[in-house]
Amino acid sequence: MLKGKHIILGITGGIAAYKCATLTRLLVKAGAEVQVIMTPNAKQFIQPLTLSTLSGKPVISEFFTANTGQWNSHVDLGLWADALIIAPATASTIGKMAHGVADNMLVTTYLSAKAPVFVAPAMDLDMMRHPSTVRNLELLRSYGNHIIEPAEGELASHLIGKGRMEEPENIVKALDEYFSTGEDLQGKRVMITAGPTVEKIDPVRYISNFSSGKMGFALAEECAARGAEVTLVAGPVSLKTENSNIHRIDVVSAVEMYDAVMQALPQNDAIILCAAVADYRIENVAEKKIKREKDAAPVLHLTPNPDIARAVGEKKRKDQVSVGFALETDNENVNAQGKLDRKNLNFIVMNSLRDKNAGFQVDTNKVTIFTDDGQTIEGECKSKRAVAHDIVDVLHKYLSKQ
């Protein structure tokens, strides 16, 4: 899938830069046209001549070509590229990318790029797990960048840990897999629910849950990137959408989300029910702030909210695909498969709060997918955008059958 693609390979000043000779050769062998951009420090680890010979293009490092004074336009490069790979990505460059510090040719090109960006970090283990690096990588993920997680092994310091740049073969594989999906949802309409719902107690208090909406928004961006027209019904979250193919409907309560979903249901080919919808709401919302009493706390009477997943399962057409989510704390597989059957879902995505780095608020997730034909697909812990990619792969297979 890389044949004819324009790839910018950005190389920064880390020892893993030597692997970029192999990476360049593999990209060219796959049929890609490769333009190498190096930071000044990268040239201390691998010679530009090696990379220009392998890529067939002069290496770019500075804003001006020294001997001719020719201007190297980062804007033109950003428009030319089908993908930008930064490998190795040092802690310094990751920090500059996260905060827009455009003090070299590579970062200015990154800021101008319209194409997907793949970042392959490489650094010592203590730098990798430092809070500033962790936060900067979270920022890059939130911008829509694809993080190719480093491997564990012996590092340049001779310590053992996470920080080795992923091998060139696996970087090319990640890129190839991205382009292989193409726009496979072109012409499809997908509705996605995301985030929590908020149920009022009185004018100043409410009951809700810890959902951040990150998984649902990642699914919306993934579907839109693959050509779908997306309707995103979102509870109260601070997240923003990037793709213009996403039509966002903001709601607050479960009843509002139910109404929005039911209204949009007939127009959609697939429905992904990712929101953490409150099962109950307050039966009688107080018109005024409830005051603290001396003797007894107020009693809140709850009433069931509409079951959106069940309603979708009952009302959907045979040519519509419905996908559910199950966040469990015990008996995970049994509970998720039970929900799959009860709600008439085509497949369900289960994750457990007992799994490290999975669930609410975090940028990663680990899921298991159960399908209505008896398949079980076990996933690894990865970024929520990467998890979204896996989920949409399964969705595409279902839509292809319809």
Side-chain angles (χ1 to χ4, degrees):
M1 298 305 298
L2 295 178
K3 187 175 182 179
K5 298 297 184 184
H6 295 167
I7 308 296
I8 292 176
L9 173 57
I11 305 174
T12 71
I15 186 62
Y18 78 91
K19 294 183 178 181
C20 290
T22 301
L23 180 54
T24 303
R25 181 180 62 82
L26 291 174
L27 290 169
V28 171
K29 186 177 180 180
E33 189 175 340
V34 181
Q35 175 62 66
V36 176
I37 301 177
M38 303 178 72
T39 63
N41 283 339
K43 292 185 286 187
Q44 302 298 319
F45 294 93
I46 186 170
Q47 289 296 312
L49 178 60
T50 302
L51 297 161
S52 64
T53 301
L54 291 169
S55 67
K57 287 179 174 291
V59 170
I60 296 174
S61 181
E62 307 293 343
F63 293 102
F64 297 92
T65 303
N67 56 344
T68 66
Q70 178 182 339
W71 166 252
N72 295 314
S73 173
H74 56 89
V75 175
D76 290 344
L77 285 166
L79 294 172
W80 173 83
D82 293 306
L84 170 60
I85 310 170
I86 300 179
T90 60
S92 175
T93 293
I94 289 169
K96 290 178 181 181
M97 292 168 63
H99 298 282
V101 181
D103 65 349
N104 62 45
M105 187 66 189
L106 178 55
V107 178
T108 53
T109 301
Y110 159 73
L111 294 174
S112 299
K114 307 297 183 185
V117 178
F118 297 80
V119 181
M123 64 196 76
D124 208 70
L125 74 165
D126 291 320
M127 297 175 71
M128 188 70 209
R129 64 192 180 197
H130 193 277
S132 63
T133 305
V134 172
R135 178 56 180 157
N136 286 335
L137 286 171
E138 288 176 354
L139 283 172
L140 292 185
R141 286 191 186 96
S142 72
Y143 301 158
N145 296 319
H146 304 267
I147 309 300
I148 301 175
E149 292 292 337
E152 293 192 14
E154 185 175 1
L155 305 172
S157 63
H158 303 299
L159 297 174
I160 306 296
K162 184 176 181 179
R164 287 176 61 90
M165 187 183 90
E166 186 56 274
E167 295 303 318
E169 293 81 2
N170 291 332
I171 294 175
V172 173
K173 181 181 178 182
L175 201 61
D176 189 71
E177 287 177 351
Y178 176 86
F179 283 114
S180 68
T181 60
E183 294 190 344
D184 54 8
L185 296 185
Q186 188 70 42
K188 299 296 183 182
R189 293 172 177 263
V190 181
M191 175 167 55
I192 300 168
T193 65
T197 62
V198 165
E199 313 300 330
K200 275 187 170 184
I201 296 173
D202 62 20
V204 298
R205 302 182 182 92
Y206 61 84
I207 56 176
S208 189
N209 56 65
F210 295 111
S211 175
S212 64
K214 291 179 179 180
M215 190 70 249
F217 274 64
L219 283 162
E221 295 291 349
E222 179 68 19
C223 287
R226 292 165 72 159
E229 185 176 335
V230 177
T231 298
L232 176 62
V233 183
V237 295
S238 59
L239 302 175
K240 296 181 180 180
T241 56
E242 301 293 337
N243 197 300
S244 60
N245 283 346
I246 301 173
H247 170 59
R248 179 171 174 174
I249 301 172
D250 289 308
V251 298
V252 176
S253 68
V255 171
E256 291 177 4
M257 184 171 284
Y258 173 86
D259 291 341
V261 169
M262 290 301 105
Q263 183 174 354
L265 178 62
Q267 293 81 42
N268 283 277
D269 301 293
I271 305 92
I272 304 177
L273 300 159
C274 188
V277 183
D279 293 324
Y280 298 93
R281 67 182 184 275
I282 306 301
E283 189 171 25
N284 295 302
V285 177
E287 294 183 0
K288 298 180 180 179
K289 179 182 176 182
I290 299 172
K291 299 293 185 179
R292 180 170 179 169
E293 302 296 338
K294 293 182 179 179
D295 298 325
V299 176
L300 302 177
H301 294 280
L302 304 179
T303 189
N305 272 321
D307 189 330
I308 299 175
R310 183 183 292 276
V312 168
E314 292 172 350
K315 296 177 182 294
K316 72 174 183 177
R317 304 185 305 269
K318 290 184 178 181
D319 64 336
Q320 289 178 305
V321 178
S322 63
V323 182
F325 272 71
L327 178 64
E328 302 294 341
T329 59
D330 61 283
N331 297 322
E332 289 92 340
N333 293 1
V334 172
N335 290 336
Q337 289 173 311
K339 186 175 181 180
L340 172 70
D341 296 333
R342 292 195 312 273
K343 313 288 181 167
N344 189 28
L345 300 166
N346 293 94
F347 67 92
I348 191 165
V349 182
M350 186 276 292
N351 62 307
S352 172
L353 283 180
R354 294 195 294 180
D355 286 328
K356 186 179 180 181
N357 296 322
F360 291 133
Q361 302 295 329
V362 296
D363 291 313
T364 56
N365 208 356
K366 180 182 179 183
V367 304
T368 301
I369 297 174
F370 299 100
T371 68
D372 60 0
D373 59 2
Q375 293 185 64
T376 300
I377 305 169
E378 296 275 358
E380 299 176 351
C381 185
K382 55 181 77 174
S383 72
K384 286 185 174 177
R385 183 59 186 267
V387 171
H389 182 89
D390 294 342
I391 294 168
V392 177
D393 281 347
V394 180
L395 175 64
H396 174 252
K397 291 178 181 178
Y398 271 89
L399 288 172
S400 298
K401 299 176 185 176
Q402 303 300 81

